[in-house]
Amino acid sequence: MKLRRHMKRKRQNEPIVRRIWILQAFLIVFLAVIVGRLFYIQVMSHSFYSALANDQHDIFRELFPERGEIYLSDPKAPDGRFPAAVNKTLATVYADTRQLTDGDKETIAKALALILEMEEDALLGKLTALNDPYVPLKSKLDDLTVLQMRDLELSGIDFSQQPFRFYPEKEATCHLTGFVGSNEQGERIGRYGIEGHWEKELAGEQGFLQSERDPTGQLITAGSHNFRPALDGADILLTVDRNIQFVACNKLKDAVKRYNATGGAVVVIEPNSGRLLAICGNPDFDPNNYSQEPNMSAFNNPATYYAYEPGSVFKPFTMASAIDAEKVSPKTIYHDEGKVEIGIHTINNSDGKAYGFQTMTQVLEKSLNTGAIFAVRELGADRFREYIEAFGFGQAPGVALDVESKGNISSLHKRGDIWSATASYGQGITATPIQVASAFAVLANSGKLMKPYVVEEVRYQDGTGQRIEPQSVRQVVSKRAADLVSGMLVRVVENGHGKR
């Protein structure tokens, strides 16, 4: 009897026990979901919610990368480098005209004119905007200027912090660095020089934030989202030596002024590696205030962009080619009559004189056009063109400084002796200063052409780096030919035109 009553109570309690187990299972699953969600939020999505929890400036910082910086080589600096392009956070002062009365505007204009170095009327004109929460008055303000204005406690005046690109060396590195400007869409982008050519590496990668929003446009933190933080840009270390650059650019500026020249360029290159130790041009500009430069052609680097007729400095390449082909030697003699007639054309020596019997060494010493023509005739027009192309003329050097000119040696492909004759002494063809410097480096480097380069290393924000190594392009002439012409050029400096 008792057994039957026990079994009956047990059957009656089974649904209750089952519901309790179901409830416990549900609570366990629910807690597991909560724990999992918390883990996802606090660990897996920490960056997203951290950015979301902060103000708009912090979200901006998470989504927009910081631009990489550019450094010169500087053996005198503790870490061997000196900043050429860096990021600087400066203030912009603005007015919220919704808070201002006409009397306030006059007071503010009068109070800020002296501090901002602006005309009082110009400031008052900006402040007349009606019900505008953000009227910029002046940008790029340092901390001291901001402090002076804060002490005035002017109603409706506030400050915002903005990143700016700053170039400490100003004109001395303007063509090297270029500057950061804006494109048609108003996006900040590198222009010219390193800033332009290495835009992708310097700019980094923009972050991504996508989340569900409520009807008012506010982000729903518990909603679905996709977040990827920004990747800051890489730093770039240049081969250019700050000290050599400083001296070279100052010497160039003095020379342009002394000779009343329209411009000029200086290239200093390490022959056995191709490393550019200095590269500067004139006219120049201040990249910190590029928008104030009235002549946009000043942005182009004269060392890489503008091609010119090199003239008599081209004669050593003609001579090296003929010596390498064993068509002449430094002691080969020809008779100089002071002119050469080619069809209807007559080519004279630059001084109009005739020197009689002369060696190839004397041709370079006295810079005789007729002697260069003799050497190229012995060599032959086709072989001469092949040598000149091997020296790197007619091709962009690939220095990685944005726009580079190839120069023009197309006349060497034309029929007729006149073209190779004039090219033998550097006329009828064009080249850039960096092409000429690289070609002379061939003679100083046992006849081997090295690719000129200006970037030593690219350093990424994850700690990795890409180091640029010297690159041999080709053997242009033999070591013997290069050494012989180098010796002949010493004679030019000791006894000839270079003596001055």
Side-chain angles (χ1 to χ4, degrees):
M1 189 71 173
K2 290 182 180 180
L3 180 61
R4 283 199 301 268
R5 284 199 298 268
H6 173 74
M7 295 299 293
K8 184 178 180 181
R9 284 197 299 269
K10 183 177 181 182
R11 285 194 297 268
Q12 290 173 343
N13 291 335
E14 279 181 357
I16 299 175
V17 173
R18 189 181 303 113
R19 285 195 294 270
I20 292 173
W21 276 105
I22 292 173
L23 180 60
Q24 288 178 337
F26 174 78
L27 288 174
I28 291 171
V29 171
F30 179 75
L31 288 172
V33 170
I34 294 297
V35 171
R37 183 64 176 166
L38 288 173
F39 177 80
Y40 179 76
I41 290 174
Q42 295 182 5
V43 180
M44 303 300 293
S45 298
H46 172 75
S47 297
F48 171 80
Y49 287 100
S50 176
L52 205 58
N54 291 319
D55 60 23
Q56 187 177 1
H57 180 268
D58 289 331
I59 294 177
F60 180 92
R61 187 172 55 195
E62 288 282 348
L63 295 178
F64 291 87
E66 184 173 352
R67 192 173 182 85
E69 298 182 331
I70 303 171
Y71 294 91
L72 300 172
S73 173
D74 186 359
K76 296 181 180 180
D79 61 352
R81 63 182 190 175
F82 188 88
V86 294
N87 302 310
K88 203 169 184 179
T89 300
L90 299 174
T92 294
V93 58
Y94 69 92
D96 182 351
T97 59
R98 298 174 302 178
Q99 304 178 28
L100 303 179
T101 65
D102 290 341
D104 291 335
K105 294 175 182 179
E106 293 178 0
T107 302
I108 290 170
K110 187 174 183 179
L112 296 185
L114 183 62
I115 298 175
L116 297 179
E117 298 180 349
M118 294 176 64
E119 294 292 334
E120 188 174 327
D121 290 342
L123 277 170
L124 192 57
K126 290 176 178 285
L127 295 170
T128 55
L130 297 176
N131 298 321
D132 193 331
Y134 185 79
V135 179
L137 302 181
K138 193 171 184 180
S139 300
K140 299 184 180 180
L141 304 175
D142 58 30
D143 293 341
L144 179 59
T145 304
V146 172
L147 184 61
Q148 288 177 308
M149 287 185 284
R150 286 194 185 280
D151 288 343
L152 297 176
E153 298 182 349
L154 297 170
S155 175
I157 297 298
D158 208 342
F159 307 88
S160 62
Q161 298 293 320
Q162 294 177 332
F164 290 96
R165 200 66 162 167
F166 180 63
Y167 302 91
E169 298 292 87
K170 299 183 179 180
E171 292 86 354
T173 58
C174 63
H175 294 117
L176 182 62
T177 60
F179 55 86
V180 175
S182 300
N183 60 15
E184 292 80 2
Q185 290 75 40
E187 300 169 327
R188 302 288 286 169
I189 188 172
R191 299 282 195 180
Y192 302 91
I194 294 295
E195 297 276 28
H197 188 87
W198 296 84
E199 164 63 19
K200 182 178 179 181
E201 289 80 3
L202 287 166
E205 294 183 16
Q206 186 171 320
F208 181 80
L209 172 61
Q210 183 182 41
S211 182
E212 294 181 10
R213 295 175 182 268
D214 63 23
T216 66
Q218 298 298 314
L219 294 176
I220 303 174
T221 59
S224 62
H225 67 267
N226 188 5
F227 175 65
R228 183 188 67 199
L231 180 64
D232 290 340
D235 293 337
I236 292 181
L237 177 62
L238 305 181
T239 61
V240 171
D241 186 304
R242 181 199 178 204
N243 305 290
I244 300 175
Q245 178 83 358
F246 178 81
V247 173
C249 292
N250 281 340
K251 293 292 185 182
L252 173 62
K253 187 172 291 188
D254 291 344
V256 168
K257 184 177 180 180
R258 184 185 311 121
Y259 297 107
N260 197 28
T262 57
V266 170
V267 176
V268 180
I269 190 170
E270 191 174 71
N272 63 350
S273 68
R275 296 173 74 248
L276 290 168
L277 303 180
I279 179 168
C280 49
N282 191 283
D284 53 26
F285 65 97
D286 183 358
N288 295 304
N289 299 292
Y290 68 90
S291 60
Q292 298 178 15
E293 174 57 51
N295 180 18
M296 288 190 63
S297 63
F299 298 153
N300 296 318
N301 189 341
T304 61
Y305 185 81
Y306 294 111
Y308 70 107
E309 283 192 343
S312 291
V313 297
F314 204 79
K315 288 172 183 172
F317 313 132
T318 301
M319 200 62 67
S321 303
I323 290 175
D324 184 69
E326 298 183 348
K327 299 299 181 181
V328 300
S329 73
K331 296 181 179 180
T332 297
I333 295 175
Y334 86 110
H335 188 261
D336 171 35
E337 297 178 350
K339 62 182 180 180
V340 174
E341 295 183 356
I342 303 175
I344 62 173
H345 304 284
T346 300
I347 299 175
N348 300 292
N349 286 326
S350 59
D351 59 5
K353 297 179 181 179
Y355 290 89
F357 291 103
Q358 297 289 303
T359 65
M360 293 298 102
T361 299
Q362 290 172 314
V363 167
L364 294 186
E365 285 180 2
K366 299 172 182 176
S367 192
L368 302 178
N369 293 342
T370 59
I373 294 172
F374 171 83
V376 85
R377 281 178 167 175
E378 294 295 302
L379 177 61
D382 290 341
R383 293 200 67 185
F384 175 61
R385 183 187 68 250
E386 291 171 359
Y387 272 107
I388 296 309
E389 290 175 344
F391 269 105
F393 295 103
Q395 309 152 44
V399 182
L401 276 175
D402 208 21
V403 181
E404 296 180 67
S405 173
K406 295 180 179 180
N408 189 348
I409 59 170
S410 60
S411 63
L412 297 180
H413 291 271
K414 296 180 180 179
R415 292 184 177 275
D417 293 340
I418 187 65
W419 305 110
S420 59
T422 55
S424 70
Y425 55 88
Q427 293 188 9
I429 58 173
T430 63
T432 62
I434 201 161
Q435 286 176 321
V436 175
S438 295
F440 271 106
V442 168
L443 303 179
N445 188 38
S446 302
K448 184 184 295 183
L449 174 65
M450 303 297 293
K451 182 178 180 179
Y453 67 103
V454 72
V455 172
E456 187 88 68
E457 185 179 1
V458 181
R459 296 175 179 173
Y460 298 98
Q461 298 304 321
D462 62 0
T464 62
Q466 175 189 356
R467 192 165 185 84
I468 312 301
E469 299 295 337
Q471 181 179 339
S472 175
V473 180
R474 67 181 71 90
Q475 189 74 34
V476 180
V477 296
S478 65
K479 181 180 185 303
R480 174 181 176 276
D483 290 347
L484 286 173
V485 175
S486 295
M488 295 164 73
L489 291 175
V490 171
R491 294 287 298 273
V492 173
V493 176
E494 291 178 343
N495 306 317
H497 276 202
K499 189 173 182 179
R500 291 181 297 175

